[in-house]
Amino acid sequence: MKNMKKILLVAVIALIAVVCTSSVVSAGFFDFLSPNAGDDSEGEVNLAAAASLKNVYDEKLIPMFNEKYPNIKVTPTYASSGDLQTQIENGLEADIFMSASNKQMNALADEDLIDNSTNVQTLENKVVLIVPKDSDSNITSFEDLKDVEGTIAIGDPESVPAGQYAKEVLTNLGIWDSVESKLSLGTDVTAVLNQVAQGSADCGIVYATDAKSNEDVKVICEAPEDALDTPVIYPVAVVKDSKNADAAKKFMDFLQTQEAQDVFKEYGFTIHEE
């Protein structure tokens, strides 16, 4: 009888061990099948990004991030970098700022509104001259703009980085004074693109990525490299008073992954090499 009890006890212990091992293996197996299993990160990211980034974020990057972190909500705000700078200065609840120029980022860093230790120089873009798709214009270069009789659309140089770069190019080519009276100033680069696409402007100066996103415009040429004092750089950083630091870090890390960089390149951006 005693031997029988011992055998029964050993059998029960063995059964418990098998059940526990089976549960652990099963859990690991299903975690393997579902890469996001167990990733219960929660929070939100308020993203303030230059208007030229809207398509790549809305169409690809935010959905990709949400696949990886389904419980982190990303709320984007798009505008000119200068406008976003002003909004952040006035208390916009942003966690991450991605500018189309270092000028606005540096200004916020000087005001101690950006965590400059997180500042990453992520992307580069090109400045291009565009006309409506069906245009029969004789424009072949930036220098030809001095002979344009109609309207030339650019971003407002006071607040729009694309406009600042446009003014820099036109000034360095020595034709700013001859075209200034013909300019139509857009509130951001998307407004400039739409003016040309709709034919309300004879031509315009935008980023290469914006031109690529609209089938109603065609690119005449890129701005000469020696006409730009600095390359078109897109920095990104965490806002100093972010209330969602953990979620913001995850988003920043995501932007630097190979998969995110491949998407940026798909949309016409170049990855900036330090």
Side-chain angles (χ1 to χ4, degrees):
M1 177 67 79
K2 289 183 178 179
N3 288 338
M4 182 63 69
K5 288 182 177 179
K6 287 182 179 179
I7 292 173
L8 183 60
L9 179 61
V10 170
V12 170
I13 293 173
L15 179 60
I16 292 173
V18 169
V19 170
C20 291
T21 302
S22 175
S23 297
V24 171
V25 170
S26 297
F29 177 72
F30 286 112
D31 283 350
F32 173 76
L33 287 181
S34 304
N36 293 328
D39 182 2
D40 57 355
S41 301
E42 294 184 356
E44 62 179 329
V45 175
N46 295 300
L47 171 66
S52 52
L53 293 162
K54 185 179 191 306
N55 291 337
V56 67
Y57 271 126
D58 284 355
E59 295 172 10
K60 287 290 186 71
L61 290 178
I62 291 177
M64 284 170 59
F65 180 79
N66 284 145
E67 284 182 12
K68 191 171 184 179
Y69 299 104
N71 296 323
I72 297 179
K73 180 183 178 182
V74 180
T75 302
T77 298
Y78 304 110
S80 73
S81 300
D83 186 19
L84 292 173
Q85 174 194 336
T86 300
Q87 290 186 52
I88 291 171
E89 289 169 337
N90 290 331
L92 175 70
E93 288 193 7
D95 300 300
I96 292 175
F97 176 44
M98 191 164 184
S99 173
S101 168
N102 276 313
K103 177 181 178 181
Q104 289 75 25
M105 186 67 77
N106 292 341
L108 291 176
D110 289 344
E111 297 170 37
D112 201 30
L113 295 175
I114 290 294
D115 180 355
N116 215 30
S117 68
T118 66
N119 190 342
V120 180
Q121 309 282 289
T122 54
L123 309 174
E124 290 187 29
N125 213 333
K126 300 294 183 183
V127 175
V128 298
L129 176 61
I130 60 172
V131 296
K133 180 180 179 180
D134 299 325
S135 172
D136 56 1
S137 170
N138 294 322
I139 300 172
T140 61
S141 68
F142 278 82
E143 286 84 349
D144 290 337
L145 295 180
K146 62 182 182 296
D147 300 319
V148 170
E149 295 182 357
T151 301
I152 303 169
I154 71 169
D156 186 344
E158 293 298 318
S159 60
V160 183
Q164 294 161 12
Y165 290 121
K167 182 176 181 179
E168 188 174 300
V169 169
L170 297 173
T171 299
N172 288 340
L173 292 175
I175 59 175
W176 172 260
D177 290 340
S178 61
V179 302
E180 188 173 5
S181 62
K182 310 171 189 178
L183 298 178
S184 172
L185 305 182
T187 55
D188 57 38
V189 72
T190 303
V192 175
L193 181 68
N194 289 337
Q195 284 188 58
V196 179
Q198 295 164 9
S200 58
D202 296 83
C203 56
I205 301 175
V206 297
Y207 297 125
T209 51
D210 296 293
K212 184 177 181 179
S213 72
N214 195 310
E215 296 179 350
D216 293 325
V217 303
K218 60 183 178 182
V219 175
I220 297 300
C221 62
E222 286 186 6
E225 287 190 11
D226 58 359
L228 277 171
D229 298 328
T230 56
V232 181
I233 301 293
Y234 284 63
V236 59
V238 175
V239 177
K240 194 75 170 286
D241 292 334
S242 168
K243 298 178 181 177
N244 304 288
D246 290 342
K249 183 180 185 305
K250 288 183 171 62
F251 195 82
M252 288 284 290
D253 290 343
F254 166 73
L255 292 181
Q256 297 172 67
T257 62
Q258 189 62 53
E259 59 181 343
Q261 292 185 354
D262 286 344
V263 170
F264 279 124
K265 288 189 282 189
E266 177 188 335
Y267 277 71
F269 293 96
T270 300
I271 305 304
H272 178 66
E273 301 293 341
E274 294 287 354

